[in-house]
Amino acid sequence: MSKVFIGISQLVTPGGSGPRRGPEQAELTIIHDAAFRVERRRIAWMGAQAELTPGPGEEVIDLGGRAVVPGLIDPHTHAVWAGDRLADFDARTRGLAYEDILRRGGGIRSTIRSTARAGVEELTELALPRIRNLVASGATTIEVKSGYGFTAEAELRMLEAIRMLGRYTRARLVPTLLIHVPPEDEAGRSAYLDMVTTELMPEAARRGLATSVDVFTEREAFSVAETERVLRKARRLGLGVKLHADQFHAIGGTELAVWLGALSVDHLEASGPDQIEALAVGGTIATVLPGVTLHLGLRAAPGRALIDGGVPVAVGTDLNPGSSPLASTALAQALAVRINGLTPAEALTAGTANAASAIGRDELGRLEAGSSADFIVLDGPDWRLLSYTLGGNAVAETWIAGEKEEG
Ligand code: NIG
Ligand code: FE
């Protein structure tokens, strides 16, 4: 049965198609006093409510004068992990740096120790409440990375947990295999990369457990040459490629991302004019992660300069236990405005249309005839509440493929 939604103060969506860059990133279509019809999980029609006459037998849902925007897309999370990083957090508040903790075998490596020994069911149970929080805060599509397994077996278990999570939520989960940190002994690096490229990646691809591969390119993680080796193999396997780059040092990861035509390069806190210039000529999306800036107290990715430089910018939570325990996709919107210098309109595009492109799903992130009926109802009549609100929840309802996601 088709559904008709009425009583919408503002129906707001990015326009155009594909990623939006420069001034286009702020261009939104706003329909006042709007309505739309959903048939077979998709938007069949949308426009002014005055133009709509519900047909016989159609279910009419009155949203009571609230604003509707596309469901948010969280293009970067590490929502599956076991253990916690509370001791790291405490140590950092007393002056120890994130990178120093990692160098001493803690940080990401401590989460690997706790995650690698957990089974698929345990990992799924631990991650489900995190996914539910993201959905309640407006996410209808969520990218989820592995990366705390380290061995092939444990990485595949993480990817299986992501698949299993899909049974308990309507949200679309997009799995990424993350090659996160190398072995601690220098001598083991090349054997580790052999394992990754000849066993782990082909197996993940064969079983359809990942749609992309991501590499953490950083002094304390993988070099540019090592990253290139992994991502070229990923491309040969038909997988998308992504990078964590320029988080602490701009060692060339962003330039490699553009060169390889990566879907996205994420972090960019240490990016400067050279990286912005490189990104402006390519099709790679720059994903900013303001939760990391807030949690680690480090510099912010240059969101304003990226947009002014003509780079399409997306935003994600980077939900993870170490650098960004940010379990609200709506709050990532709010922080992108405060921390990365985006306007509310640019942030909305960053969390919808551009985030969709960042995960290789250009068909998502907009409301238009034919699109999946993934939308959120805000807690008031003005769409800007979404990035204005800090804490609480500006998202009253999350609808995915025409169905309301409850609790
Ligand atoms: O996106 N930088 C590398 N990886 C994650 C952090 C993971 C962690 O600290 O557990 C990130 O920030
Ligand atoms: Fe990350």
Side-chain angles (χ1 to χ4, degrees):
M1 188 179 63
S2 57
K3 295 186 179 103
V4 162
F5 293 82
I6 62 167
I8 301 164
S9 55
Q10 302 172 335
L11 182 61
V12 184
T13 178
S17 61
R20 304 290 276 169
R21 57 172 82 226
E24 289 173 350
Q25 180 149 359
E27 282 169 17
L28 302 177
T29 301
I30 303 184
I31 307 174
H32 295 272
D33 300 319
F36 60 93
R37 173 178 281 121
V38 173
E39 277 171 10
R40 287 183 296 274
R41 302 165 178 260
R42 294 186 176 274
I43 308 269
W45 176 90
M46 60 186 237
Q49 187 178 321
E51 289 168 25
L52 178 95
T53 314
E58 274 192 323
E59 185 183 355
V60 179
I61 298 159
D62 188 343
L63 296 179
R66 294 176 293 176
V68 167
V69 303
L72 298 177
I73 295 181
D74 199 331
H76 184 140
T77 83
H78 308 248
V80 177
W81 75 82
D84 69 56
R85 297 273 281 282
L86 296 168
D88 287 7
F89 172 52
D90 204 332
R92 281 196 308 95
T93 62
R94 285 178 280 109
L96 198 57
Y98 178 89
E99 282 180 286
D100 290 332
I101 297 173
L102 178 55
R103 205 171 291 126
R104 294 173 191 193
I108 295 171
R109 294 189 196 281
S110 75
T111 301
I112 288 174
R113 286 190 287 276
S114 37
T115 306
R117 55 172 182 256
V120 175
E121 277 172 26
E122 183 185 353
L123 291 174
T124 306
E125 266 171 42
L126 288 167
L128 189 57
R130 301 172 193 143
I131 296 292
R132 291 206 199 287
N133 280 333
L134 297 176
V135 172
S137 69
T140 53
T141 297
I142 303 168
E143 188 255 19
V144 186
K145 300 176 197 294
S146 68
Y148 294 126
F150 192 71
T151 63
E153 296 70 29
E155 281 295 308
L156 292 167
R157 271 201 297 283
M158 285 193 75
L159 293 172
E160 284 167 16
I162 299 169
R163 177 171 280 177
M164 190 175 279
L165 279 165
R167 295 194 202 156
Y168 302 100
T169 175
R170 264 188 250 281
R172 245 176 244 99
L173 303 182
V174 176
T176 298
L177 172 63
L178 170 63
I179 309 305
H180 209 171
V181 286
E184 283 176 275
D185 71 299
E186 203 54 37
R189 290 174 84 108
S190 130
Y192 184 73
L193 291 176
D194 288 345
M195 180 283 281
V196 164
T197 51
T198 63
E199 281 176 48
L200 174 55
M201 287 168 44
E203 184 65 5
R206 189 186 65 77
R207 293 173 57 194
L209 286 169
T211 53
S212 294
V213 176
D214 189 344
V215 177
F216 183 21
T217 311
E218 185 53 63
R219 282 190 197 160
E220 293 307 318
F222 293 99
S223 69
V224 171
E226 289 168 331
T227 304
E228 182 168 1
R229 177 175 167 204
V230 172
L231 295 183
R232 284 205 183 277
K233 175 69 184 196
R235 292 269 291 269
R236 285 199 292 279
L237 291 166
L239 301 168
V241 306
K242 302 170 81 71
L243 290 85
H244 278 67
D246 296 4
Q247 182 176 5
F248 299 101
H249 307 95
I251 62 168
T254 294
E255 290 84 344
L256 175 67
V258 175
W259 177 246
L260 291 176
L263 289 168
S264 75
V265 55
D266 305 36
H267 275 290
L268 307 169
E269 291 88 342
S271 298
D274 291 351
Q275 288 71 40
I276 295 172
E277 209 176 294
L279 281 162
V281 298
T284 298
I285 307 287
T287 302
V288 299
L289 306 166
V292 177
T293 303
L294 183 67
H295 188 61
L296 297 188
L298 301 176
R299 65 189 142 175
R304 178 78 267 131
L306 284 160
I307 292 178
D308 291 343
V311 180
V313 171
V315 58
T317 57
D318 197 8
L319 170 61
N320 77 76
S323 71
S324 183
L326 172 60
S328 165
T329 309
L331 193 50
Q333 289 275 300
L335 296 178
V337 172
R338 276 45 164 226
I339 288 179
N340 304 105
L342 274 60
T343 65
E346 289 165 346
L348 185 63
T349 300
T352 55
N354 283 1
S357 298
I359 53 170
R361 299 292 296 266
D362 279 3
E363 78 281 11
L364 299 173
R366 285 181 176 81
L367 293 174
E368 59 198 2
S371 65
S372 178
D374 297 357
F375 60 92
I376 57 180
V377 182
L378 302 183
D379 198 20
D382 190 319
W383 68 274
R384 292 172 297 187
L385 274 173
L386 181 60
S387 54
Y388 168 80
T389 304
L390 297 171
N393 194 356
V395 178
E397 298 174 11
T398 303
W399 291 74
I400 304 172
E403 300 291 334
K404 188 164 156 183
E405 187 79 346
E406 311 279 359

